[in-house]
Amino acid sequence: MQSSLPAALISNFLGSAPVWYKKTILAFLALNVVFIYTLGPYITGWILILEFIFTLAMALKCYPLQPGGLLAIESVILGMAHPDIIYEEALANFPVILLLMFMVAGIYFMKDLLLFMFTKILLGVRSKMLLSFLFSVVAALLSAFLDALTVTAVLISVSVGFYSVYHKVASGKNFNTDHDHGQDDELKEQHRQDLEAFRSFLRSLMMHGAVGTALGGVCTLVGEPQNLLIAKIAGWEFGDFFTIMAPVTMPVLVAGLITCLLLEKTGWFGYGAKLPDEVRTILEGFNEDQKKNMTSRRISQLVVQGLVAVILVFGLAFHLAEVGLIGLMVIILLTAFNGIIEEHQLGKAFEEALPFTALLVVFFSIVGVIHAQHLFTPIITWILNTDNVSTAAQPGIFFLANGVLSMISDNVFVATVYISEVKAALDAGEITREHFDVLATAINTGTNLPSVATPNGQAAFLFLLTSALAPLIRLSYGRMVVMALPYTVVMTGIGYFAVTHWL
């Protein structure tokens, strides 16, 4: 029996998302209209932030772009943010948008080499503790000189590769058969338990790697976008930045790596899962199959990917151009020399990046509301007022305040607001240059370290949450928060102690 038009509209709204979820989003949209006139734009702005975080938390139920986008559109209609402010936020973050558009797609064309290399590592290192430590150290080292999003894209690509190989064989297919690894319908019953263990294994590796990007990214001038911003305002060069941050970043790095080992040893917070023997056997079979089918054409493709990888690392390490432009160069080189010239072949590479790019612009819309409604201003004013907070206590308060606000907002935006206020205080002669350097360090480490607590606190974490990998390995918002909790406690605790005692 054909349904009525209203019933069809309701059914189509947010597609296959649960009915309770659809009703919740509609309730948000309706109540916001009431809130804006009864509670005012300031309180409604904070409510909007919580609603947007809810859409992120429910990412496995419905991709956040649609519900989050509806909230962003409504905020503009209600006058909470002007389109020009949103445009300015997006423009200020254009390098990140460019990175997502091109660098993530560039990594897609390098996935054969990445899977080839990481398969050797996975099979060669049998100790899960050592493997986790390696993932964390490599992610930290690469993020210090390259870019956290690029490193995360590499880890995601590798993990999807591992998952698809096992899922294909566990579903009764051979290595070279096309297969939809997002569906478990064809999965053989005897493999289901191993698949769950493998998911847990990949979740822990990805979280170790993701936290590693934060541990390394905070250390250098080029590690995170806000680092460069703060260094530019403070007048620091690469060496200056590293030296000034080191009393905080180095102890936190060591503590973070020790935490990685302890989590694997204890198995707490969802860590400790080992690679099932059945999965190892299948991956070994895949490795042997790759060796047998290593034709001259295949070797040539891997060689090209390897050479382009060297060019990529060199270009990023020396920042020869914006990261996104280097990503575009990677796409052109890999596709040209490996014979990928048809439009539909190129389109697949952008399927992963563009939805997240759109979501990030929606996120900037919410940041625009924060900016337009001055949601953080009372907190900043209270901290900078020496009648409320003594000069000696300011660094610690700055560290914690930046951390908390970065957990719910964009850490680049938070850093911009705080460093601008502190620079204005310096120019007005209200603080000394020495105190400015201490506060700048507190701002930088505050926006980088405690923000690992939530996926919206770090762009790399948000990218992981909304990637194609997350639903495959059952990595939800809540699970990410739980798995990040021990790291959050350690990194925030050590960071706070270092800021208040060693600067």
Side-chain angles (χ1 to χ4, degrees):
M1 183 176 177
Q2 190 172 4
S3 61
S4 64
L5 183 59
L9 285 171
I10 293 171
S11 176
N12 287 340
F13 178 69
L14 298 183
S16 60
V19 174
W20 67 264
Y21 182 83
K22 297 181 182 184
K23 290 180 178 178
T24 303
I25 298 301
L26 289 173
F28 286 165
L29 295 170
L31 288 171
N32 287 343
V33 178
V34 177
F35 292 152
I36 195 75
Y37 293 109
T38 56
L39 302 177
Y42 184 82
I43 300 297
T44 306
W46 278 106
I47 292 172
L48 182 74
I49 291 173
L50 295 176
E51 290 169 348
F52 184 72
I53 291 174
F54 172 82
T55 67
L56 296 178
M58 295 291 112
L60 295 186
K61 301 292 183 185
C62 176
Y63 193 74
L65 174 62
Q66 290 75 23
L70 289 172
L71 292 170
I73 292 169
E74 184 184 45
S75 70
V76 174
I77 294 172
L78 294 177
M80 297 174 70
H82 193 276
D84 288 346
I85 292 178
I86 298 171
Y87 177 74
E88 288 170 7
E89 290 292 340
L91 196 62
N93 288 277
F94 183 67
V96 179
I97 294 172
L98 204 63
L99 181 156
L100 288 167
M101 289 170 60
F102 296 131
M103 183 58 78
V104 175
I107 297 300
Y108 174 87
F109 292 113
M110 211 178 284
K111 66 180 187 301
D112 290 340
L113 175 67
L114 294 172
L115 188 58
F116 178 80
M117 291 172 56
F118 276 86
T119 299
K120 303 288 186 188
I121 295 171
L122 188 66
L123 297 176
V125 181
R126 288 186 170 269
S127 167
K128 173 66 186 309
M129 188 181 293
L130 179 57
L131 187 64
S132 299
F133 186 76
L134 277 175
F135 261 66
S136 193
V137 168
V138 170
L141 186 62
L142 291 177
S143 294
F145 296 99
L146 306 182
D147 177 84
L149 276 171
T150 304
V151 175
T152 305
V154 169
L155 296 178
I156 289 171
S157 178
V158 169
S159 294
V160 170
F162 287 149
Y163 184 91
S164 63
V165 167
Y166 174 71
H167 200 276
K168 189 181 295 184
V169 176
S171 300
K173 309 285 181 63
N174 60 46
F175 296 122
N176 301 312
T177 306
D178 289 334
H179 174 67
D180 182 6
H181 52 257
Q183 300 294 328
D184 291 345
D185 299 340
E186 300 178 34
L187 197 70
K188 303 301 180 184
E189 195 59 40
Q190 66 268 26
H191 293 301
R192 291 187 181 274
Q193 189 173 350
D194 282 335
L195 179 62
E196 288 304 316
F198 189 37
R199 282 170 173 155
S200 183
F201 173 83
L202 290 177
R203 279 197 303 269
S204 61
L205 282 185
M206 286 305 304
M207 286 303 295
H208 287 312
V211 173
T213 64
L215 288 170
V218 69
C219 295
T220 64
L221 183 146
V222 297
E224 293 283 354
Q226 64 266 33
N227 299 14
L228 197 58
L229 168 79
I230 290 171
K232 186 176 181 181
I233 292 174
W236 295 334
E237 297 297 332
F238 191 96
D240 299 327
F241 185 94
F242 180 83
T243 305
I244 291 170
M245 294 293 158
V248 181
T249 57
M250 290 300 103
V252 170
L253 175 61
V254 173
L257 294 177
I258 292 173
T259 303
C260 169
L261 295 173
L262 289 176
L263 288 172
E264 284 302 320
K265 181 70 174 177
T266 60
W268 293 345
F269 298 94
Y271 293 96
K274 293 180 170 52
L275 184 66
D277 293 335
E278 179 66 24
V279 179
R280 178 178 290 278
T281 301
I282 288 174
L283 292 177
E284 286 172 347
F286 171 74
N287 190 40
E288 290 301 317
D289 183 74
Q290 293 289 292
K291 288 180 182 177
K292 289 177 183 176
N293 296 308
M294 195 63 73
T295 61
S296 298
R297 180 183 175 85
R298 173 81 171 162
I299 293 172
S300 170
Q301 290 174 337
L302 292 176
V303 169
V304 168
Q305 290 178 29
L307 291 173
V308 173
V310 172
I311 295 172
L312 167 65
V313 172
F314 182 82
L316 289 175
F318 290 94
H319 292 268
L320 302 181
E322 276 292 345
V323 178
L325 295 180
I326 295 174
L328 179 58
M329 177 189 69
V330 166
I331 293 173
I332 293 169
L333 291 175
L334 289 175
T335 54
F337 286 96
N338 282 338
I340 304 170
I341 58 172
E342 296 180 14
E343 186 179 3
H344 72 274
Q345 291 177 300
L346 295 171
K348 291 179 181 177
F350 293 91
E351 289 177 2
E352 175 78 5
L354 289 186
F356 180 71
T357 306
L359 174 61
L360 203 61
V361 174
V362 168
F363 183 63
F364 294 147
S365 303
I366 305 301
V367 173
V369 173
I370 296 172
H371 190 179
Q373 300 304 323
H374 308 288
L375 299 187
F376 294 167
T377 302
I379 303 171
I380 298 169
T381 304
W382 183 82
I383 294 172
L384 284 175
N385 189 335
T386 52
D387 294 334
N388 299 319
V389 180
S390 67
T391 302
Q394 278 185 351
I397 300 296
F398 262 68
F399 176 84
L400 294 177
N402 275 269
V404 171
L405 294 179
S406 293
M407 291 176 193
I408 59 176
S409 177
D410 173 32
N411 50 12
V412 177
F413 170 75
V414 174
T416 303
V417 172
Y418 270 90
I419 196 66
S420 299
E421 293 289 340
V422 172
K423 183 64 163 63
L426 174 67
D427 293 340
E430 296 171 8
I431 60 174
T432 65
R433 175 67 206 201
E434 291 75 15
H435 192 54
F436 171 83
D437 287 347
V438 172
L439 291 182
T441 303
I443 292 168
N444 185 67
T445 52
T447 54
N448 274 293
L449 299 176
S451 57
V452 300
T454 64
N456 39 299
Q458 294 262 351
F461 277 46
L462 188 59
F463 183 42
L464 174 58
L465 173 68
T466 57
S467 70
L469 176 66
L472 298 179
I473 62 175
R474 308 297 188 260
L475 187 60
S476 64
Y477 187 102
R479 184 166 265 162
M480 284 188 75
V481 170
V482 170
M483 295 184 77
L485 181 60
Y487 279 113
T488 304
V489 171
V490 170
M491 292 163 67
T492 303
I494 299 296
Y496 177 79
F497 184 86
V499 165
T500 54
H501 290 78
W502 295 335
L503 287 181

